[in-house]
């Protein structure tokens, strides 16, 4: 009789192990077949720009850090659109890296460089005039660049 009990327990253990293994296998296969949802760089940049625009106040410290964030948003967008990493580049390095990029037309390149120089002024000058209206205008310029590049993307 103990032999039959042992066989029964062994069979139940094998069945439970098989069910567990089958569920584990199906979960792994489902994870591998699901493609990650990749948000378009333009959408991501527009959401970040909208959030930045809402967070800007008249406080010069907030405006200064807003320019730093605005630069990061713009550089991350350019990196995602051109496949050239300009996130950690200086403005001069960015000028050289983006000079002959086929994905950037001359107008976009000129707008980006003009805006990068302007943002450098607000970030690195001794006593820049930090006004809420000015940063909001610059946010709108970046919005224009994002919309322009996103519509011309292949």
């Amino acid at each position: 009789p103990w032999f039959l009990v042992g066989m029964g327990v062994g069979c139940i253990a094998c069945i439970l192990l098989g069910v567990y293994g089958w569920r584990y296998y199906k979960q792994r296969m489902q994870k591998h077949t699901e493609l990650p949802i990749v948000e378009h760089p333009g959408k991501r940049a527009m959401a970040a720009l909208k959030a930045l625009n809402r967070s800007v106040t008249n406080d010069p410290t907030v405006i200064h850090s807003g320019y730093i964030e605005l630069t990061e948003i713009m550089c991350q967008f350019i990196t995602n659109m051109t496949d050239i990493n300009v996130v950690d580049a200086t403005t001069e390095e960015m000028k050289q890296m983006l000079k002959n990029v086929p994905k950037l037309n001359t107008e976009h390149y000129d707008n980006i460089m003009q805006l990068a120089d302007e943002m450098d002024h607000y970030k690195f000058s001794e006593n820049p005039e930090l006004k809420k209206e000015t940063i909001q205008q610059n946010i709108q310029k970046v919005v224009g660049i994002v919309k322009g590049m996103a519509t011309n993307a292949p």
Side-chain angles (χ1 to χ4, degrees), residues 71-121:
T71 303
E72 289 174 10
I73 293 168
M74 184 175 82
C75 290
Q76 188 64 55
F77 172 74
I78 293 167
T79 296
N80 291 337
M81 291 299 288
T82 62
D83 297 323
I84 297 172
N85 187 1
V86 296
V87 173
D88 296 322
T90 65
T91 301
E92 289 304 313
E93 291 170 337
M94 189 166 63
K95 283 180 184 178
Q96 293 303 313
M97 290 193 279
L98 297 178
K99 200 169 201 156
N100 296 313
V101 175
K103 294 181 181 180
L104 272 180
N105 65 33
T106 307
E107 180 185 355
H108 292 142
Y109 175 82
D110 291 342
N111 289 341
I112 290 167
M113 291 308 121
Q114 178 186 4
L115 195 54
D117 286 335
E118 192 173 336
M119 288 191 289
D120 280 353
H121 166 73

Side-chain angles (χ1 to χ4, degrees), residues 15-86:
I15 290 170
L16 290 175
L17 211 66
V19 169
Y20 173 75
W22 180 252
R23 286 181 55 202
Y24 177 76
Y25 171 76
K26 285 185 78 168
Q27 280 181 331
R28 273 186 70 95
M29 291 310 293
Q30 187 177 8
K31 284 181 184 176
H32 287 294
T33 57
E34 290 177 2
L35 294 175
I37 297 172
V38 179
E39 191 176 31
H40 188 275
K43 259 188 172 178
R44 200 173 325 133
M46 291 300 285
L49 290 166
K50 192 181 234 182
L52 176 61
N53 200 24
R54 281 193 306 262
S55 70
V56 172
T57 64
N58 286 319
D59 180 10
T61 308
V62 173
I63 295 172
H64 185 265
S65 44
Y67 274 109
I68 293 169
E69 187 177 344
L70 183 59
T71 303
E72 289 174 10
I73 293 168
M74 184 175 82
C75 290
Q76 188 64 55
F77 172 74
I78 293 167
T79 296
N80 291 337
M81 291 299 288
T82 62
D83 297 323
I84 297 172
N85 187 1
V86 296

